[in-house]
Amino acid sequence: MKKLVIIPAHNEALSIKSTVETIRAKAPSYDVIVINDHSLDDTGKILKDNNIPAINLSVNLGIGGAVQTGYKYGAINGYDLAVQVDGDGQHDPEYLKTLEEALINNNADLVIGSRFIDKEGFQSSSLRRSGIRYFTGLIKLLGHQTITDPTSGMRMVNSKTMKLWAKDYPRDFPEPESCLMALKSKLKVMEVPVIMKERQGGKSSIHILKGAYYMIKVTFALILEGVRSHDDA
Amino acid sequence: MMTLKIQIIIAVMIAIFVAVLFVMTVKKSIQPKYTLAWFLISLGILILDIFPNLMTALSDAIGIFSPVNMIFFVGFLYMGFIIFALSVALSRMSGRVTSLTQEMAILRKKIEDKEEESK
């Protein structure tokens, strides 16, 4: 079984090496591919010097375009499952096993690591949590399934979902929208409890000032996704 | 009515714009299909500027007091249309750039892997 870890990295020079090393130590059966999203710091050099497999984007595509590159790479190279792990060290590779077991044992197409099932670890601010709860409600309304952590970046997919997302993936703030996309394509989506840490380096792509824009943009994107017709994947 | 002064000012502005447009098209900084759209609006405004009476009837009919306002109104609508068309073109373009960047980066990775193998 070919398994791929996709690590989108934009200016993650501080943490990328340790992120990759941790994954290699804790999940040795996985291939690692870093998508270097046109980093302006030393990320590219660090990847090269340490011989870490990387795809270097010559134009900054943003998180959606970077992650999609990973899914395309996975689909082209015949991977059976792929998992996104953020380059900032927020995700503990310890959980890859949990996600993998859930995916395989339940024959699921998409497994999301959720912070809010057991409510342990880094829980984000209460403002963000209410925002996330709102998206949970909206996705429930449009996709008829409760996803407790639709903004989680820790997601594992099988080749079916990989192909769907390789073809079409949202550009910015992709998590909630791609999640609804999977639901609307009749894919089997499930969640497993995970514990996340606070980010090590880099910064969240969601700043406080951008919060309102994020809410409006994602709401709009979800509603659009809700009315869009989908073939079953 | 329009004063001769504003008629001349508008005519001169259009003349300068058309000259710039022409030079840019020759230098290929703007594609001919866009040049055409901008040239047509310039020409339209120029004609109405020279013969404001053409507009008087129409501006009366839709309740605009002076022909000069009519020129601005029609020009504004047309520009709105051009800008909207550009948003559409830009969206399509950005999707293409994304795909190209991804394909190219994946191919480069493949080539690097091949080179590594043959070493």
Side-chain angles (χ1 to χ4, degrees):
Chain A
M1 193 154 167
K2 284 180 80 178
K3 300 181 283 189
L4 182 68
V5 176
I6 299 165
I7 309 170
H10 179 62
N11 297 340
E12 304 277 6
L14 287 176
S15 57
I16 191 66
K17 191 170 170 239
S18 69
T19 303
V20 173
E21 278 168 358
T22 319
I23 292 168
R24 282 185 167 158
K26 292 189 175 175
S29 61
Y30 283 79
D31 291 343
V32 169
I33 187 85
V34 177
I35 314 295
N36 178 15
D37 191 11
H38 194 71
S39 296
L40 298 171
D41 63 1
D42 287 337
T43 305
K45 192 177 175 302
I46 292 169
L47 292 169
K48 202 157 192 242
D49 291 350
N50 293 282
N51 238 336
I52 297 166
I55 292 177
N56 295 291
L57 299 175
S58 43
V59 171
N60 178 252
L61 294 183
I63 182 70
V67 170
Q68 190 189 26
T69 309
Y71 290 123
K72 282 189 176 174
Y73 177 80
I76 288 171
N77 291 290
Y79 279 93
D80 303 296
L81 67 82
V83 60
Q84 177 191 338
V85 176
D86 288 349
D88 56 19
Q90 213 184 355
H91 300 162
D92 190 345
E94 202 67 56
Y95 286 103
L96 291 187
K97 206 176 290 169
T98 321
L99 293 171
E100 190 185 325
E101 276 166 10
L103 190 92
I104 291 167
N105 295 344
N106 298 286
N107 209 7
D109 299 307
L110 165 63
V111 177
I112 301 169
S114 168
R115 288 163 281 181
F116 307 124
I117 295 178
D118 287 352
K119 300 199 168 61
E120 284 179 63
F122 178 57
Q123 289 285 298
S124 202
S125 68
S126 70
L127 189 65
R128 280 189 194 175
R129 271 204 309 280
S130 31
I132 291 167
R133 257 200 298 276
Y134 159 75
F135 288 130
T136 299
L138 195 57
I139 289 175
K140 168 96 176 145
L141 187 72
L142 298 166
H144 314 293
Q145 189 177 327
T146 301
I147 306 294
T148 62
D149 199 354
T151 61
S152 167
M154 194 197 278
R155 298 157 349 141
M156 185 177 282
V157 301
N158 65 2
S159 61
K160 221 169 164 188
T161 313
M162 215 183 309
K163 277 173 202 148
L164 174 77
W165 286 351
K167 224 182 324 170
D168 191 13
Y169 198 72
R171 312 295 301 279
D172 35 18
F173 321 135
E175 286 85 8
E177 198 183 334
S178 55
C179 183
L180 180 60
M181 194 189 268
L183 287 174
K184 295 242 343 173
S185 305
K186 304 243 163 54
L187 292 172
K188 190 172 176 189
V189 181
M190 62 176 295
E191 286 186 296
V192 292
V194 297
I195 294 171
M196 286 188 201
K197 294 175 275 194
E198 279 206 71
R199 43 185 61 246
Q200 287 172 6
K203 44 189 175 174
S204 169
S205 55
I206 306 160
H207 309 269
I208 296 159
L209 278 174
K210 282 186 181 165
Y213 174 67
Y214 178 85
M215 296 301 292
I216 294 167
K217 165 82 212 299
V218 174
T219 300
F220 186 53
L222 284 174
I223 292 170
L224 287 178
E225 193 57 38
V227 298
R228 211 168 271 147
S229 66
H230 276 273
D231 298 332
D232 297 355
Chain B
M1 273 317 288
M2 290 165 76
T3 62
L4 185 64
K5 205 170 176 182
I6 189 68
Q7 279 181 294
I8 292 171
I9 291 173
I10 292 174
V12 169
M13 274 166 24
I14 289 174
I16 293 171
F17 176 70
V18 170
V20 170
L21 190 65
F22 181 72
V23 171
M24 287 182 74
T25 314
V26 170
K27 285 184 176 168
K28 297 191 175 176
S29 359
I30 179 169
Q31 282 184 27
K33 66 172 174 181
Y34 296 118
T35 307
L36 211 57
W38 288 108
F39 180 70
L40 282 180
I41 188 184
S42 308
L43 197 67
I45 292 176
L46 189 66
I47 290 171
L48 296 175
D49 180 50
I50 297 171
F51 309 105
N53 290 338
L54 280 177
M55 265 311 185
T56 313
L58 189 52
S59 32
D60 281 349
I62 66 168
I64 291 175
F65 194 69
S66 87
V68 71
N69 281 350
M70 188 69 193
I71 291 183
F72 287 137
F73 178 65
V74 173
F76 178 78
L77 284 187
Y78 189 82
M79 297 228 191
F81 174 75
I82 292 183
I83 293 166
F84 184 73
L86 285 178
S87 285
V88 174
L90 195 64
S91 302
R92 195 175 51 213
M93 196 74 80
S94 111
R96 289 176 179 176
V97 169
T98 302
S99 295
L100 283 174
T101 306
Q102 293 174 332
E103 300 275 319
M104 196 192 83
I106 291 172
L107 276 176
R108 187 165 56 198
K109 169 86 173 76
K110 207 169 184 178
I111 292 169
E112 282 167 3
D113 289 349
K114 281 261 153 64
E115 281 173 354
E116 201 64 34
E117 270 173 37
S118 60
K119 262 180 198 167

